[in-house]
Amino acid sequence: MKPNSFNPADKIQDLQYFGEFGGVNPSISDSSTYTFLSAKTMFDTFEGNAEGCYLYSRHSSPMNLYLGEALAAMEGTESANVAASGMGAITPVLMQLCAAGDEIVSSRTIYGGTYAFMKNMLPKWNIKTHFVDITKLDLVEAAINENTKVLYCETISNPLLEVADIESLAKLAKKYNIKLVVDNTFSPLSVAPAKLGADVVIHSLTKFINGSSDTVGGVVCASQEFINDLKNVNNGASMLLGPTMDSLRSASILKNLRTLHIRMKQHSYNASYLAEKFENDGLKVVYPGLKSHPSHDIYSKMINKEYGFGGMMTLDVGSLDKANELMELLQNRNLGYLAVSLGFYKTLFSAPGTSTSSEIPMEEQIEMGLTDGLIRFSIGLDNDIERTYQMMRQCMIELNILTEAEATI
């Protein structure tokens, strides 16, 4: 299916829920456990054979199922299961798909927490990960062997903004009968990995999907069979590890999801505007919407252009000292927050090498091109982005990152 033939915002809009008393928002079930009218129904529910019955909120709850249904519709998968954090979605998927002696081939540039779990935790269960440059398909294929069970990547990598060619990776996964797992956190609505062949799609709901930096959450979008496996009371990783989302939080995220299409368009517009301006000023900018991005053409074919190239960009200002000076000044001028995470209505910025990617050893950061002067920006929803640009440029002039002459090119 061509990516543009699937419109995730329409799928979300077409879902309609009524509250218990006719409310326009679904009712929140504030219960940890649920009653049964017969002992047999309880038995059937434990066996997974009683549709519409609720057992225990660690397994499922009405609100979590509503949110999961909406996110499955957004990604075009049969089902979904929400979790209490992004890592609470990622870790059960890998534990469900891998056993002792199995191996994973993963992109080398991924979220620091995911990297740390693969590098430091999974070896305790005798699960090995090979980290490769995901943009080089020959290296990816060379890393796959008879023990490989999972091919893992991020649509847009954190923090270097490398693009994974999901369609080509999906063909590789099918060739070797392994599962392609894609973290789509940076590109909701813009890219639908399942439509490009991914088996499992993951999001940190904390970021763009929730959009207000007031909660953490995650989701696994996949086939009904795989979601049932995750929730199985006897051997399901999500059920047994227990990364359960609270019903009040899932209700809040579901409400915010309704405005995601509006927010993503503005995030993308603003980031594209700033990226083009700063590149013209002579700064080292990485943004997938720029023609200078090495995977611009690949990404252009993957995305639903209505939602743009996303809200993430990086600037390399040469050194950690300069990066810290600039971020502190930007915060002091009320241009955003020196903070980790992304998807907030205000711009967020951090130096990944010493924050969100600090779990990656320094020698590996250097090898992948993660310099200490790199700043990762999650561009906000500013109404007047030209005003923002002028104010950011003035900060850069004051710190000699830009000269007056460069800033007027």
Side-chain angles (χ1 to χ4, degrees), residues 131-163:
F131 295 98
V132 299
D133 183 343
I134 206 70
T135 66
K136 296 179 179 175
L137 294 173
D138 56 335
L139 296 182
V140 175
E141 185 165 18
I144 297 172
N145 61 49
E146 60 183 9
N147 297 319
T148 306
K149 294 296 186 290
V150 172
L151 178 55
Y152 186 95
C153 68
E154 297 171 347
T155 307
I156 302 289
S157 75
N158 185 1
L160 297 183
L161 308 186
E162 292 178 343
V163 173

Side-chain angles (χ1 to χ4, degrees), residues 4-130:
N4 286 343
S5 66
F6 174 74
N7 195 317
D10 290 348
K11 299 296 183 182
I12 296 170
Q13 182 182 336
D14 290 345
L15 292 173
Q16 192 165 357
Y17 303 115
F18 293 95
E20 184 180 1
F21 303 105
V24 295
N25 288 309
S27 302
I28 301 170
S29 176
D30 197 21
S31 295
S32 61
T33 190
Y34 297 85
T35 59
F36 293 89
L37 297 180
S38 73
K40 184 179 184 309
T41 307
M42 178 181 280
F43 171 79
D44 288 342
T45 304
F46 263 99
E47 294 295 306
N49 299 324
E51 189 174 339
C53 293
Y54 298 96
L55 172 68
Y56 181 53
S57 285
R58 175 158 54 86
H59 181 255
S60 64
S61 65
M63 186 53 68
N64 284 1
L65 287 176
Y66 287 140
L67 178 58
E69 184 179 31
L71 292 165
M74 181 187 80
E75 286 296 350
T77 60
E78 290 179 341
S79 189
N81 187 52
V82 297
S85 69
M87 290 303 296
I90 292 166
T91 53
V93 166
L94 297 177
M95 297 300 289
Q96 194 72 34
L97 292 173
C98 297
D102 290 340
E103 297 186 4
I104 298 167
V105 174
S106 170
S107 170
R108 63 182 182 174
T109 59
I110 52 174
Y111 172 59
T114 310
Y115 177 92
F117 181 71
M118 290 178 175
K119 185 76 177 283
N120 304 328
M121 292 292 289
L122 287 181
K124 295 180 180 180
W125 289 282
N126 193 26
I127 299 170
K128 182 179 181 180
T129 303
H130 301 275

Side-chain angles (χ1 to χ4, degrees), residues 256-273:
N256 288 347
L257 178 65
R258 302 295 191 175
T259 63
L260 178 62
H261 61 294
I262 301 169
R263 292 184 282 110
M264 285 311 300
K265 290 175 187 179
Q266 192 68 25
H267 284 302
S268 292
Y269 175 81
N270 285 353
S272 179
Y273 186 94

Side-chain angles (χ1 to χ4, degrees), residues 205-219:
L205 302 178
T206 313
K207 314 302 195 302
F208 287 111
I209 288 175
N210 185 54
S212 52
S213 289
D214 59 357
T215 191
V216 293
V219 68

Side-chain angles (χ1 to χ4, degrees), residues 349-360:
F349 33 81
S350 60
T354 54
S355 58
T356 53
S357 296
S358 59
E359 297 93 335
I360 301 173

